[in-house]
Amino acid sequence: MQLNKIISIVVVVVLMSGCADFLNETPKGVLSSDQVNDPERLLTAAYSALGNDHYDVPLSLWPYGTVRSDDAYKGGSGPQDIQVFHFFEVSNNIMPNFGEVDRLWFQCYIAISRANNAIRAIQEAENLDNKEVKLGEARFLRGHFYFLLKILFKHVPYVDENTPVDEYETISNRALTNDGLWQKIADDFQYAVDHLPDVQAETGRASRPAAAAYLAKTYLYKAYRQDDPERHAVTGIDQADLQKVLDNTEIVLSSGYTLEPDFAFNFLPGSYENGPEALFSVQYSKDDGTRFGRLNFSDLLSVPMGLGCCDFNKPSQSLVNAFRTTGNGLPLENYNTLAQYSTQEQYDPRLFHTVAIPGLPYKYNSDRIYEESWNRNPADYYFYASLKENVDPDCDCFIPMVPFYANSKNRILIRFADVLLMRAEALIELHRSSEALPLINQVRTRARNSTAFVDYATDRMNIDTYRDGINCTWDEPFARQALRWERRLELAMENGRFFDLVRWGIAEQAMNQYYNAERTRRPYYSSAQFNADQHEYLPIPEAQIRLSKFMYEQNPGY
């Protein structure tokens, strides 16, 4: 009995000694206050927000910038499959209580909060190297997410690093005018332009040329004035803002960035990523110690069913027809007359880099011929698939996560071709259309030279540059139409088409024209109708209005 007591006492002493040692150790998986407030870690967290999304809350904005336009059908198993996106496709039954829209709003503000936290920590840090550069990066990221919110919702509350958390509920989404909110976004990118280096030591960080490109884009949108908060019609184009587009695109043009020699290179993985045209990209990865890797969850639903899942975001017949060039190698005025791709027609080469067509290699792989049977619901969504965001299934960057298949290819947010076309647009609206001609032709010349990966369609490709007095009359109205057409062809399926239509003030005209044509092809378009001063923007989420104690004002029409 005495021995048992002695053993018990020894065990207790040993355990107490072990507990003391354990309690003196730093727990694993828990951050200290210094780590939580570390400027570098907070800036990294802000960068990571670029890829913190989900297939039904995609920061690539494919349901809102492509499916909501004339470029794509929703796809999937049918209209009921992520039905919210179907309602946006047909501009019908759009409600403020959609959970997908509320989560998108929330995701963007989480990212903005991370950027604000990083800005505060950087400002307060003592003896921090490259302080202004880090602030430039954080403000670039904040500008990016406010830009997304602005083109999606138009009226959003603006909070920055100086806004106390307990005052968030006092900030109205109408506190700033339309022009004033654009200026706040421009101010962030201007700070980045003023303080970022031309080249960053680490790939993926924002640079001065990237900031200048985004600042030019912001001023281009800002230039198209929508002065009435309850109406979305364009009331004028501000010449001073257009000049700022020229000033900032000039920074990019002199920075060393250029067009890729082949259009295809922008949409291939591995050594092609972060190329000479990619000004800023979301960086993805695999084999990084996590279960699947840092993959592109935004776009994983667009994989055809014959390769994985789930056959969403499918190019429209209107888009395929837009690439037609039969005749003189220029876009056709009466383009949208065919019901399917035709081997008797000739097309801009960019079609074959953008759209998967039955009978042709999928993603340039001659061992994988794209088949009609790979389509999930051809009765509703026909037989095309989107190529740019997808990869060759034989690539080790194609990651199975059954039933889904994602990939680790970077997603370019802004590229040099977009900068050339933004500059051309500003020149045209400044009544200097002759100066826009070589810029647009530079993009078309690259397209004409982009045939090496699609030589199987050589006999179906025909494209020419615009030659004033020979194949066109390059006056201002023609130049404007050519520029708008070129943006559609060059940037197709890159999720900006709908926002272009709204910026130009032609969304109602373009979308109802599209709906009228599509009714004869897709029966579910029978009730589609785009309403001006309503469907240009998403409704402010009902949940956010309630959280603001009804301070937020709803967008018109909802």
Side-chain angles (χ1 to χ4, degrees), residues 125-194:
E126 297 180 1
N127 303 317
L128 181 65
D129 292 338
N130 299 317
K131 191 169 185 175
E132 297 294 340
V133 171
K134 291 178 173 61
L135 280 173
E137 292 180 61
R139 292 191 65 170
F140 175 95
L141 294 169
R142 182 171 68 184
H144 164 72
F145 283 102
Y146 270 123
F147 186 95
L148 297 188
L149 286 166
K150 186 72 179 71
I151 61 176
L152 288 166
F153 297 100
K154 186 175 182 178
H155 301 294
V156 299
Y158 186 85
V159 295
D160 62 17
E161 76 280 10
N162 298 313
T163 309
V165 174
D166 59 2
E167 292 184 13
Y168 280 10
E169 293 183 352
T170 69
I171 308 297
S172 168
N173 68 325
R174 300 292 183 96
L176 295 172
T177 64
N178 185 57
D179 185 60
L181 183 52
W182 275 126
Q183 190 58 55
K184 286 285 190 182
I185 298 169
D187 290 345
D188 271 344
F189 290 126
Q190 184 65 65
Y191 187 93
V193 169
D194 292 341

Side-chain angles (χ1 to χ4, degrees), residues 13 25-26 65 144 193 228 230 234 241 256 277 343 358 362 436 500 526:
V13 169
E25 290 183 0
T26 302
H144 164 72
V193 169
D228 186 335
E230 300 305 320
V234 174
D241 285 343
E277 189 167 342
T343 57
Y362 179 83
D500 280 347
S526 60

Side-chain angles (χ1 to χ4, degrees), residues 353-406:
H353 299 282
T354 304
V355 180
I357 297 170
L360 298 180
Y362 179 83
K363 205 63 183 183
Y364 317 124
N365 187 341
S366 59
D367 293 327
R368 288 187 181 269
I369 304 302
Y370 181 68
E371 301 177 10
E372 290 187 356
S373 62
W374 293 6
N375 290 270
R376 193 174 180 185
N377 182 357
D380 281 335
Y381 303 122
Y382 202 59
F383 295 111
Y384 306 124
S386 183
L387 286 175
K388 287 181 176 179
E389 71 275 32
N390 281 309
V391 298
D392 180 352
D394 293 339
C395 174
D396 62 2
C397 60
F398 188 62
I399 312 297
M401 34 192 305
V402 179
F404 305 113
Y405 286 75

